[in-house]
């Protein structure tokens, strides 16, 4: 523990690429003394950028637990698999434990971030020129760091369960081991601390970005959104009365996870989410939508379906739009290369790695154009082919023969999934992607492992100019997630509340599918299942699925295999779903183990169950 807490600010002032404005372009000077770092606004901002640098960076998704403090969340869930080897393979095969470097990687990074934040908070008031012009920059930057420290604790507890709360003061670099040898706090203590810190920071921060340079900074709305996220984690069954963790106690017998399920935790979450949605200072947040479709030649018909396709695609491409609460910048080319098919003979942004392979389970989760699950829609068929016009603006007046699995699906399906027979996303390209064995992105012509394992590719987050084209941010929190958190909280605490249908239908309306009730589709008899289905497709590839299958305690069912198409065959056999990978999931995998090295150094820290 001592090793991970020693932090020398003047030696570790590294820029965190978390926004898109000038704040990110500063160069740290590691020759400054500790005191000098906090004397001037320019170096104070460098120190604050370092505090931000611990935030997970989805741009490094394919280097899970190796770069960018990002974990194996995408390909260790049932959303997808990576052809490119990374730590998700270890998680999926069970070949990891408390001694794995990747387990230690996140633990150390978050505690370093916590210590960096505490050090910043304790010293930022030394700045001599921060508040020139009558703006209290010191208070603002201090509370950004305060919120970040709470956010890092949130990431720790979501991954490892209850952890050690260090207090608000920075740990001295020469502190004796005995002074910092602390047992784990209870889950309720961790949650209450994180929430109280986020609330305190929120009350002292501007509600939303006030100027262009504010984007990428923590604001009150960002802090409040993270408060909702931590309350959601606390309310779900993994941490709310989970008797599987009855034996998880400190050495003095202190229970770390309450054994009594509390409905009050759902009510607390619902109250926080409703307060966010009703806050007049956040009134400018709205689901991203479009009123017209592109007028390219040939023009895209301006239908509700096509508008929904454009909206659900471009919400991730159109910078800091009305729906984005928080996001991070950075070089997205590596991530986008993972999405782009390895098109034989193509060049530039049209030839990628085919690394990230969406699962058949995810493909089947998208609704039909009628707004129904595929198993509930009598018009859906998984066999045969039909001539179909996809909604891509660069592919109008060109219906083509495709598998019926991909015909008449909802707009989000076409915004997120590349399938065989689909026009490639690059508006300047004429490529029609085929993942069949002998197809232009098929396994036969690829000597290495740069092919899709499942016969699908992901389009979400991918620019319409191919993988070499950049974009402004990677979305971290958006308004649709707040809606889904709110309706889940209401369903568990007050299932008759009309806000459930109101906010669920807001998402479905923007997605271009029929609403529930009010002359639309029948209200689902199992609303909990309907909410979970909506979440699955709306937040696909947004680092959500891995955690909510665990927090709902359903991962033992969902995370045992990955299915896809038969990539060793051409059509029609190619379109027969098969098991691509069998996976290992045991009860102990609901939480990561505490790194073994930390327990050896601080024996009062008890290990998670099963490890």
């Amino acid at each position: 523990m001592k090793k991970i807490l020693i932090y020398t600010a003047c030696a570790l002032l590294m820029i965190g690429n978390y926004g898109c404005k000038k704040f990110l372009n500063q160069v740290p000077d590691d020759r400054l003394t500790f005191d000098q770092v906090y004397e001037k606004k320019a170096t104070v901002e460098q120190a604050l950028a370092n505090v931000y640098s611990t935030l997970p960076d989805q741009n490094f998704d394919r280097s899970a637990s190796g770069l960018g403090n990002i974990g194996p969340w995408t390909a260790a869930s049932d959303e997808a698999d990576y052809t490119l080897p990374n730590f998700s393979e270890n998680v999926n095969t069970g070949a990891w434990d408390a001694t794995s470097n990747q387990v230690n990687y996140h633990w150390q990074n978050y505690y370093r971030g916590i210590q960096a934040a505490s050090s910043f908070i304790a010293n930022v008031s030394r700045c001599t020129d921060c508040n020139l012009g009558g703006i209290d920059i010191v208070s603002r930057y201090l509370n950004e760091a305060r919120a970040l420290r709470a956010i890092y604790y949130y990431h720790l507890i979501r991954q490892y369960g209850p952890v050690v709360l260090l207090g608000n003061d920075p740990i001295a670099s020469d502190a004796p081991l005995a002074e910092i040898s602390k047992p784990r706090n209870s889950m309720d203590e961790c949650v209450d601390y994180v929430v109280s810190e986020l609330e305190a920071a929120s009350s002292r921060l501007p509600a939303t970005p006030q100027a262009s340079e504010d984007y990428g900074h923590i604001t009150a709305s960002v802090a409040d959104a993270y408060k909702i996220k931590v309350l959601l984690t606390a309310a779900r069954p993994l941490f709310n009365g989970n008797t599987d963790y009855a034996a998880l106690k400190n050495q003095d017998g202190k229970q770390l996870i309450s054994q009594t399920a509390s409905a009050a935790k759902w009510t607390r979450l619902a109250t926080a989410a409703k307060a966010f949605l009703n806050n007049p200072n956040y009134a400018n947040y709205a689901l991203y939508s479009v009123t017209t479709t592109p007028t390219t030649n040939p023009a895209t018909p301006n239908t509700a379906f096509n508008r929904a396709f454009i909206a659900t695609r471009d919400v991730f491409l159109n910078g800091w739009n009305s729906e984005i609460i928080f996001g991070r910048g950075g070089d997205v080319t590596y991530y986008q290369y993972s999405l782009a098919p390895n098109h034989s003979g193509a060049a530039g942004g049209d030839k990628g790695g085919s690394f990230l392979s969406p699962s058949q389970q995810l493909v089947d989760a998208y609704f039909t154009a009628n707004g129904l699950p595929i198993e509930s829609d009598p018009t859906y068929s998984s066999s045969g082919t039909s001539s179909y016009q996809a909604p891509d603006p660069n592919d109008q007046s060109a219906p083509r023969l495709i598998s019926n699995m991909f015909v008449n699906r909802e707009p989000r399906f076409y915004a997120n999934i590349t399938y065989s027979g689909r026009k490639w996303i690059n508006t300047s390209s004429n490529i029609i992607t085929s993942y069949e064995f002998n197809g232009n992105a098929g396994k036969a012509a690829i000597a290495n492992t740069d092919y899709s394992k499942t016969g699908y590719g992901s389009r979400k987050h991918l620019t319409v100019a191919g993988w070499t084209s950049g974009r402004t941010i990677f979305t971290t929190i958006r308004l649709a997630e707040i809606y889904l958190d709110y309706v889940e909280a209401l369903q568990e605490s007050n299932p008759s509340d009309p806000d459930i249908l109101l906010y669920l239908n807001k998402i479905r309306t923007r997605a271009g599918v029929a609403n529930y009730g009010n002359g639309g589709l029948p209200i689902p008899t199992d609303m909990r299942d309907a909410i979970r289905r909506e979440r699955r497709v709306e937040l696909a590839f947004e680092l959500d699925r891995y955690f909510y299958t665990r927090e709902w305690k359903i991962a033992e069912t969902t995370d045992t295999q990955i299915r896809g198409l038969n990539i060793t065959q051409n059509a029609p056999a190619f379109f027969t779903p098969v098991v691509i990978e069998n996976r290992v999931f045991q009860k102990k995998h609901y939480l990561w183990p505490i790194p073994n090295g930390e327990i050896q150094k601080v024996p009062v820290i008890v290990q998670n169950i099963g490890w």
Side-chain angles (χ1 to χ4, degrees):
M1 177 73 80
K2 181 177 180 180
K3 180 180 178 182
I4 72 170
L5 296 178
I6 295 175
Y7 178 82
T8 307
C10 61
L12 293 177
L13 289 177
M14 298 175 292
I15 292 299
N17 201 1
Y18 59 89
C20 61
K21 308 299 178 182
K22 65 181 182 180
F23 182 60
L24 306 176
N25 298 323
Q26 302 165 83
V27 178
D29 185 348
D30 60 8
R31 292 169 295 181
L32 297 175
T33 67
F34 184 90
D35 288 340
Q36 288 174 323
V37 166
Y38 290 99
E39 286 180 356
K40 299 295 182 180
K41 183 174 183 286
T43 48
V44 163
E45 289 187 341
Q46 293 171 13
L48 180 60
N50 176 66
V51 179
Y52 273 90
S53 69
T54 301
L55 284 169
D57 189 345
Q58 194 171 353
N59 294 306
F60 293 101
D61 190 60
R62 77 186 207 187
S63 300
S65 301
L67 292 172
N69 204 23
I70 195 71
W73 317 133
T74 301
S77 75
D78 63 349
E79 282 186 340
D81 205 350
Y82 262 108
T83 304
L84 184 74
N86 63 35
F87 185 60
S88 63
E89 289 187 344
N90 299 71
V91 174
N92 294 333
T93 60
W96 62 302
D97 58 29
T99 66
S100 299
N101 290 334
Q102 294 86 350
V103 171
N104 194 54
Y105 171 80
H106 297 284
W107 181 273
Q108 286 196 349
N109 280 343
Y110 285 124
Y111 272 113
R112 286 191 184 113
I114 288 165
Q115 175 69 352
S118 293
S119 183
F120 183 91
I121 292 167
N123 291 283
V124 66
S125 61
R126 299 183 184 186
C127 184
T128 59
D129 66 347
C130 282
N131 289 347
L132 298 180
I135 301 175
D136 191 354
I137 295 295
V138 167
S139 175
R140 177 168 175 177
Y141 285 177
L142 183 152
N143 283 287
E144 287 182 36
R146 189 174 188 179
L148 284 165
R149 181 174 61 189
I151 290 166
Y152 297 152
Y153 275 119
Y154 158 69
H155 283 292
L156 278 169
I157 64 178
R158 189 172 63 153
Q159 192 169 340
Y160 298 95
V163 294
V164 180
L165 297 177
L166 299 177
N168 293 334
D169 297 326
I171 305 297
S173 60
D174 59 352
L177 187 60
E179 183 178 323
I180 58 176
S181 295
K182 299 181 179 181
R184 296 169 72 175
N185 289 82
S186 71
M187 185 65 181
D188 289 343
E189 288 171 340
C190 290
V191 169
D192 287 345
Y193 174 78
V194 171
V195 169
S196 65
E197 287 293 287
L198 289 171
E199 288 176 342
S202 173
S203 67
R204 296 169 175 85
L205 288 169
T208 56
Q210 304 299 296
S212 61
E213 59 265 26
D214 295 342
Y215 287 96
H217 284 261
I218 302 292
T219 61
S221 59
V222 174
D224 286 344
Y226 270 105
K227 180 176 77 171
I228 293 167
K229 288 171 76 73
V230 71
L231 290 174
L232 180 66
T233 292
R236 283 172 168 167
L238 184 64
F239 296 120
N240 191 359
N242 186 359
T243 56
D244 291 339
Y245 292 145
L248 186 56
K249 301 177 180 180
N250 282 340
Q251 293 173 4
D252 62 0
K254 180 178 180 177
Q255 190 84 54
L256 295 184
I257 293 177
S258 173
Q259 295 300 285
T260 304
S262 171
K265 292 180 179 179
W266 288 110
T267 302
R268 186 183 187 189
L269 166 61
T271 301
K274 186 170 185 177
F276 185 102
L277 298 173
N278 290 343
N279 190 329
N281 294 320
Y282 306 159
N284 287 335
Y285 287 122
L287 295 183
Y288 180 81
S289 62
V290 297
T291 57
T292 61
T293 53
T295 56
T296 52
N297 188 20
T300 308
N302 190 17
T303 65
F305 187 94
N306 288 343
R307 290 194 299 272
F309 166 76
I310 297 297
T312 55
R313 183 193 71 181
D314 289 0
V315 63
F316 304 101
L317 306 181
N318 192 12
W320 293 91
N321 59 69
S322 63
E323 188 169 341
I324 307 306
I325 299 170
F326 193 49
R328 298 200 69 200
D331 184 354
V332 300
T333 53
Y334 285 127
Y335 183 85
Q336 295 192 148
Y337 183 82
S338 298
L339 308 187
N342 188 356
H343 291 124
S344 177
D350 294 333
K351 186 178 177 64
S354 288
F355 294 152
L356 185 61
S357 308
S359 68
Q360 187 69 46
Q361 295 102 302
L362 177 61
V363 167
D364 290 345
Y366 288 95
F367 298 99
T368 67
N370 297 322
L372 296 168
I374 59 173
E375 67 272 17
S376 302
D377 192 333
T379 69
Y380 172 81
S381 174
S382 61
S383 61
T385 59
S386 296
S387 180
Y388 183 72
Q389 172 67 65
D392 303 85
N394 63 326
D395 195 30
Q396 292 304 299
S397 302
R400 59 178 52 86
L401 204 64
I402 61 171
S403 168
N404 281 329
M405 282 193 289
F406 316 137
V407 172
N408 292 325
R409 302 297 294 273
E410 62 156 303
R412 287 176 294 195
F413 171 77
Y414 299 104
N416 295 351
I417 302 296
T418 299
Y419 53 81
S420 284
R422 183 80 180 277
K423 178 77 160 57
W424 176 230
I425 198 170
N426 186 353
T427 56
S428 301
S429 168
N430 292 315
I431 296 173
I432 308 301
T433 301
S434 174
Y435 292 111
E436 295 179 37
F437 183 65
N438 291 119
N440 60 6
K443 182 179 179 180
I446 300 173
N448 54 22
T449 59
D450 292 4
Y451 54 83
S452 170
K453 283 186 179 180
T454 62
Y456 296 107
S458 172
R459 288 167 106 89
K460 196 169 190 177
H461 308 294
L462 184 63
T463 61
V464 296
W467 71 264
T468 55
S469 177
R471 52 188 162 77
T472 306
I473 60 167
F474 228 127
T475 301
T476 303
I477 306 177
R478 58 189 178 97
L479 187 62
E481 182 180 351
I482 305 296
Y483 285 179
L484 289 163
D485 295 347
Y486 181 44
V487 298
E488 182 177 342
L490 290 178
Q491 176 60 28
E492 302 300 332
S493 62
N494 185 17
S496 63
D497 194 308
D499 274 1
I500 295 175
L501 282 180
L502 174 65
Y503 285 95
L504 195 60
N505 282 335
K506 284 177 182 286
I507 291 173
R508 289 176 67 84
T509 297
R510 192 274 297 275
V513 293
N515 284 190
Y516 295 127
N518 297 321
L521 296 174
I523 297 174
T525 55
D526 188 344
M527 185 56 76
R528 175 186 289 167
D529 178 69
I531 292 169
R532 292 182 177 186
R533 283 175 179 263
E534 205 70 48
R535 187 178 196 101
R536 182 171 193 177
V537 297
E538 178 66 28
L539 300 183
F541 302 118
E542 296 183 54
L543 309 182
D544 192 60
R545 176 75 176 173
Y546 174 95
F547 290 102
Y548 70 70
T549 59
R550 283 150 181 78
E551 291 172 0
W552 286 335
K553 294 184 65 180
I554 64 172
E556 291 165 83
T557 300
T558 60
D559 286 34
T560 58
Q561 63 176 219
I562 287 292
R563 299 173 68 244
L565 300 179
N566 192 344
I567 62 172
T568 65
Q569 302 292 318
N570 295 316
F574 167 78
F575 292 103
T576 302
V578 296
V579 175
I580 300 297
E581 179 178 278
N582 286 306
R583 293 182 170 180
V584 173
F585 189 91
Q586 302 168 353
K587 278 188 178 295
K588 68 178 182 179
H589 293 140
Y590 278 107
L591 292 177
W592 280 41
I594 307 299
N596 188 57
E598 299 305 320
I599 291 178
Q600 289 178 339
K601 287 180 285 188
V602 186
V604 294
I605 298 179
V606 296
Q607 184 57 278
N608 282 329
I609 300 297
W611 295 99

